[in-house]
Amino acid sequence: MRFLWLLLATGLYVRAEEVTFHRDVEPILQKHCQSCHRPGEIGPMPLMNYAQVRPWAKSIGEAVALRKMPPWFADPAVGHFANDPSLSADELSTVRAWVIGGAREGVKTDAPAPVVRERVRPAPDLVTRMPKPIRIPANQTLDYQYIVLSPAFSEDRWVSAVDILPGDRGVVHHAVLYVREPGSRWLREGDPKSGTTSDILAIYTPGAPLMECPPGMAKKIPAGSDLVLQMHYNSRKTDAKDQTEIRVWYAKETPQSRVLTLQMSQYGLRIPPGARSYRAAVSGSVPRDAVLLSMFPHMHLRGSGFEYQILGKAGRVDTLLRVEHYNFYWQLNYRLATPRLLPAGTQLLFTGYYDNSANNPLNPDPTEEVTWGEQSQEEMMVGFFDVAVPASVDKPSFFIRAPGR
Ligand code: HEC
């Protein structure tokens, strides 16, 4: 027994000694951290080379051990997600061993090739940007900004990928790109600036990759539509300007499936002052067969948790996603590793939880009753989800029950 312990201890020691930045840790940072921790991105400090990383070694060890970094909020016990950026158990122990072993540099020739940020993609089919920059004055709460982009589309377009590129990544909290269908009154003269049922083409959040449909699938922009950007800005201590750009890639051929972004919302929020765990639920049934691709919970500063569930027969509940520590500043999209068929009639239940107490460090005012509203200090409860349906089905026809159901 004693012999075994000695061996184990030596094994650990040797491992800690051997782990070096260039050979072991740098590839992990490239894969999991540098999308945000690079100049011009939202990460507070760049982690691009040994000199930049070394002073942060201890904090890095803690941030990864506590699973604070990279940001990801899905309960690991529920579901598997294609875009889960979390470190594997192996990667985690490598980083820990490196920190414990003195955060050595190792030899430069072991370093991996630097990662080029831009993915190699063909030239986009369409590039458009906000007609003029938007000013984000220092220290102010800005209403959502809506910007109609040109041109309007003269023919139907199938879209396979969209990249939303903020002009100033430090102030763009999120961006949602809508397809305003022909005939829609939204944001036109005489229309109150209310919500919309327009389809969503893409959502930008810091650090997230571009929107890309799986092979054989695409989103549709019907002829006569135009694109509308909803921008949520965070102001800084100094004035800023942003002019976001959109890049669009069209599908090379008509896809088999169309991707629709659907949503269920609970507008009837009435969160009492000081409530620690206010629950808001919404349920509905899927009118036609659809393949679930991804989920995107949206709440504001009081949001603390969110669940997507299927209500099965005999009270069986199947949880698809559980976000336990919802954080308004990280609006994340959870893409299923294996898309899942939702047969017509499937009952979905979405539940949002809110902490309106003083315990919630983000709470702007625990003495206030909070209801639905667009501003961050008001609340929302929206469960967005992307589904794939046959290419001939659009949003209105999706909600007309198939005959015989
Ligand atoms: C999606 C963007 C993103 C990714 C990916 C990411 N970070 Fe961060 N990181 C941030 C931001 C933004 C902050 C500032 C604190 C906050 O907002 O949570 C931060 C904070 C940190 C801090 C704390 C700094 C401090 O002030 O104490 C450390 C350490 C850190 N990150 C390390 C990492 C490591 C290591 C990885 C990869 C394993 C990583 N981050 C991946 C965006 C990111």
Side-chain angles (χ1 to χ4, degrees), residues 76-100:
V78 176
H80 295 286
F81 299 93
N83 60 328
D84 183 349
S86 308
L87 268 59
S88 69
D90 244 24
E91 290 169 328
L92 185 65
S93 69
T94 300
V95 175
R96 305 259 306 160
W98 175 69
V99 175
I100 294 165

Side-chain angles (χ1 to χ4, degrees), residues 28-37 41-45 47 53 56-64 68-73 85-87 95 205-208 327 329-330 332:
I28 298 174
L29 301 187
Q30 286 184 338
K31 188 169 156 215
H32 297 277
C33 318
Q34 290 181 356
S35 61
C36 294
H37 290 276
E41 280 290 350
I42 56 160
M45 68 289 186
L47 298 175
V53 172
W56 290 97
K58 257 205 154 134
S59 321
I60 288 172
E62 278 165 26
V64 296
K68 273 179 149 167
M69 287 285 148
W72 184 251
F73 303 94
S86 308
L87 268 59
V95 175
T205 52
N327 185 314
Y329 290 105
W330 296 109
L332 299 186

Side-chain angles (χ1 to χ4, degrees), residues 293-340:
L293 302 172
S294 64
M295 291 163 276
F296 178 90
H298 180 67
M299 302 182 285
H300 289 168
L301 294 164
R302 273 92 170 182
S304 59
F306 206 99
E307 273 174 344
Y308 283 74
Q309 292 170 318
I310 292 177
L311 299 179
K313 295 207 172 71
R316 220 186 98 99
V317 176
D318 196 350
T319 303
L320 299 165
L321 168 69
R322 176 177 297 131
V323 171
E324 279 195 316
H325 302 283
Y326 178 86
N327 185 314
F328 175 64
Y329 290 105
W330 296 109
Q331 299 282 323
L332 299 186
N333 190 26
Y334 299 88
R335 278 199 285 123
L336 288 177
T338 313
R340 168 162 178 162

Side-chain angles (χ1 to χ4, degrees), residues 270-286:
R270 195 165 274 277
I271 311 173
R276 275 174 189 241
S277 191
Y278 177 83
R279 178 176 175 278
V282 56
S283 63
S285 76
V286 181

